[in-house]
Amino acid sequence: MIFAVTVVVVTYADRFHLLKQVLDACLDIGVTSIIVVDNDSNEKSKKQLIHYSHTQSEHINVIWNSANLGSAKGYQQGLKAAQKENSDFIWLLDDDNRPRPSSLKKLVDFWKVKPDHVEALLSFRPDRPQYKQAIQENNSDLVLSLKNSFLGFHLKEKLLKIFKPKDRNDVKFGQVAYAPYGGMFFKKSTLEEIGYPNERFFLYSDDHDWSYRITMMGKKIFLILESVIDDIDTSWAVKDKKSTVFKRIKEAASFRVYYTTRNRMLFEKKYLVTNGVVYRMNRYIYTFILSLYAYNAPTYKVFFKAMRDADNDNLENFK
């Protein structure tokens, strides 16, 4: 049985040097249909993508946006275009997710023997160890953070790390509660059940909010460790693994702080808050520590604006 797969990638800024490696790798492993959504990349990258797509016109279709519409809208556009392709499956990749030679084959092979109720698969990205940890500990919710966490912070977390279950190091696949865009693999028909990303999230947590719908339906997302894709650029949130989240907030661009904070709070309010007292306690401790780190930083006021907007369910774009 041969599966036809459409890859969807969203790109922006000056990132063609990364995107080209992703596209080359996809074509090398036999992907025949690729949708690229260009979120108003700069002129140099646009020209390079125009030339590349012309040389691979039978395989690549580009959607050109005149403004950066964010990852949520970009993937929404790409998913809608992919539904029109003559393929069975959709595989989402970021513009810096370079698949290894066997990564797609591992997904396809697993799909043929997948357990019931598995609705989507996820390739493994080595710089996201929390997903591997979730299946090693047989705890799909580990990627979510604890109930009543605030932006992933919970006082109980350190105690749980002390008494955490023994890792199952021989595990090769297992369930995770939600997934990033980069690496998700599913049948086109899945979109009829879960719809599209919420474009009002614009950026950050839009993938989690969207993919978690699968779990809320009572179905499963399986991480496949042998299907590896490499992040050839490092996310701002994980560049310095030794730094604290509070330092990263202090030093990050304002728009990153705003959307990360607001959207994660909205996700937590919707799915994870079950005890208001515990949630407010974690929130108070988090913001107190942040005040010690970042009181004089420009992003300090941005952080609190994001909190207010999340409290008020304000999904206007950041200005």
Side-chain angles (χ1 to χ4, degrees), residues 194-262:
I194 67 170
Y196 305 101
N198 183 351
E199 62 188 82
R200 298 189 70 194
F201 269 54
F202 190 74
L203 187 70
Y204 300 130
S205 289
D206 46 308
D207 47 359
H208 296 160
D209 176 74
W210 175 66
S211 61
Y212 195 54
R213 297 174 198 171
I214 293 173
T215 297
M216 296 304 293
M217 287 166 45
K219 297 189 178 181
K220 299 175 182 178
I221 304 168
F222 263 34
L223 173 67
I224 311 301
L225 288 183
E226 292 183 333
S227 172
V228 182
I229 52 178
D230 293 308
D231 288 303
I232 49 180
D233 188 34
T234 307
S235 166
W236 73 277
V238 297
K239 275 188 176 178
D240 184 358
K241 293 182 180 179
K242 293 182 180 179
S243 72
T244 65
V245 64
F246 305 106
K247 182 181 178 182
R248 291 196 290 272
I249 289 174
K250 179 180 179 180
E251 297 174 351
S254 293
F255 79 93
R256 296 189 190 279
V257 172
Y258 178 81
Y259 286 115
T260 300
T261 303
R262 187 199 69 180

Side-chain angles (χ1 to χ4, degrees), residues 268-303:
E268 289 172 347
K269 280 187 4 176
K270 187 175 181 180
Y271 295 116
L272 301 182
V273 178
T274 58
N275 186 315
V277 173
V278 175
Y279 179 74
R280 287 191 294 273
M281 177 187 67
N282 287 319
R283 173 171 168 159
Y284 174 80
I285 294 170
Y286 187 104
T287 53
F288 175 75
I289 297 172
L290 179 66
S291 298
L292 298 178
Y293 269 82
Y295 180 75
N296 293 318
T299 51
Y300 186 72
K301 291 183 178 179
V302 173
F303 177 85

Side-chain angles (χ1 to χ4, degrees), residues 77-301:
Q77 290 175 309
L79 287 165
K80 288 180 177 180
Q83 283 184 292
K84 300 174 183 177
E85 293 290 312
N86 185 24
S87 57
D88 307 294
F89 291 84
I90 297 172
W91 193 24
L92 304 183
L93 297 173
D94 293 339
D95 65 359
D96 61 348
N97 291 161
R98 183 176 60 205
R100 293 188 186 178
S102 65
S103 56
L104 181 56
K105 184 178 185 302
K106 294 294 184 181
L107 295 174
V108 170
D109 288 348
F110 187 87
W111 190 273
K112 294 174 183 177
V113 296
K114 70 179 180 65
D116 291 340
H117 305 300
V118 172
E119 187 73 17
L121 305 181
L122 179 65
S123 297
F124 176 53
R125 294 160 66 176
D127 72 340
R128 309 234 171 168
Q130 69 272 31
Y131 286 87
K132 181 177 180 179
Q133 185 182 353
I135 67 170
Q136 286 180 326
E137 295 185 15
N138 196 27
N139 180 4
S140 64
D141 285 346
L142 193 65
V143 295
L144 290 172
S145 300
L146 298 178
K147 295 285 187 182
N148 304 305
S149 295
F150 177 75
L151 301 182
F153 173 85
H154 200 298
L155 273 179
K156 285 176 61 178
E157 186 178 12
K158 289 186 178 180
L159 283 176
L160 288 176
K161 283 184 177 179
I162 294 172
F163 299 107
K164 74 172 187 176
K166 185 178 179 181
D167 290 349
R168 301 177 301 151
N169 291 319
D170 60 337
V171 70
K172 294 184 178 180
F173 56 84
Q175 186 179 357
V176 291
Y178 62 33
Y181 292 128
M184 273 193 72
F185 176 90
F186 49 90
K187 292 194 74 170
K188 286 196 301 186
S189 57
T190 295
L191 294 172
E192 297 171 8
E193 299 190 66
I194 67 170
Y196 305 101
N198 183 351
E199 62 188 82
R200 298 189 70 194
F201 269 54
F202 190 74
L203 187 70
Y204 300 130
S205 289
D206 46 308
D207 47 359
H208 296 160
D209 176 74
W210 175 66
S211 61
Y212 195 54
R213 297 174 198 171
I214 293 173
T215 297
M216 296 304 293
M217 287 166 45
K219 297 189 178 181
K220 299 175 182 178
I221 304 168
F222 263 34
L223 173 67
I224 311 301
L225 288 183
E226 292 183 333
S227 172
V228 182
I229 52 178
D230 293 308
D231 288 303
I232 49 180
D233 188 34
T234 307
S235 166
W236 73 277
V238 297
K239 275 188 176 178
D240 184 358
K241 293 182 180 179
K242 293 182 180 179
S243 72
T244 65
V245 64
F246 305 106
K247 182 181 178 182
R248 291 196 290 272
I249 289 174
K250 179 180 179 180
E251 297 174 351
S254 293
F255 79 93
R256 296 189 190 279
V257 172
Y258 178 81
Y259 286 115
T260 300
T261 303
R262 187 199 69 180
N263 292 351
R264 180 65 192 186
M265 282 184 64
L266 289 170
F267 181 87
E268 289 172 347
K269 280 187 4 176
K270 187 175 181 180
Y271 295 116
L272 301 182
V273 178
T274 58
N275 186 315
V277 173
V278 175
Y279 179 74
R280 287 191 294 273
M281 177 187 67
N282 287 319
R283 173 171 168 159
Y284 174 80
I285 294 170
Y286 187 104
T287 53
F288 175 75
I289 297 172
L290 179 66
S291 298
L292 298 178
Y293 269 82
Y295 180 75
N296 293 318
T299 51
Y300 186 72
K301 291 183 178 179

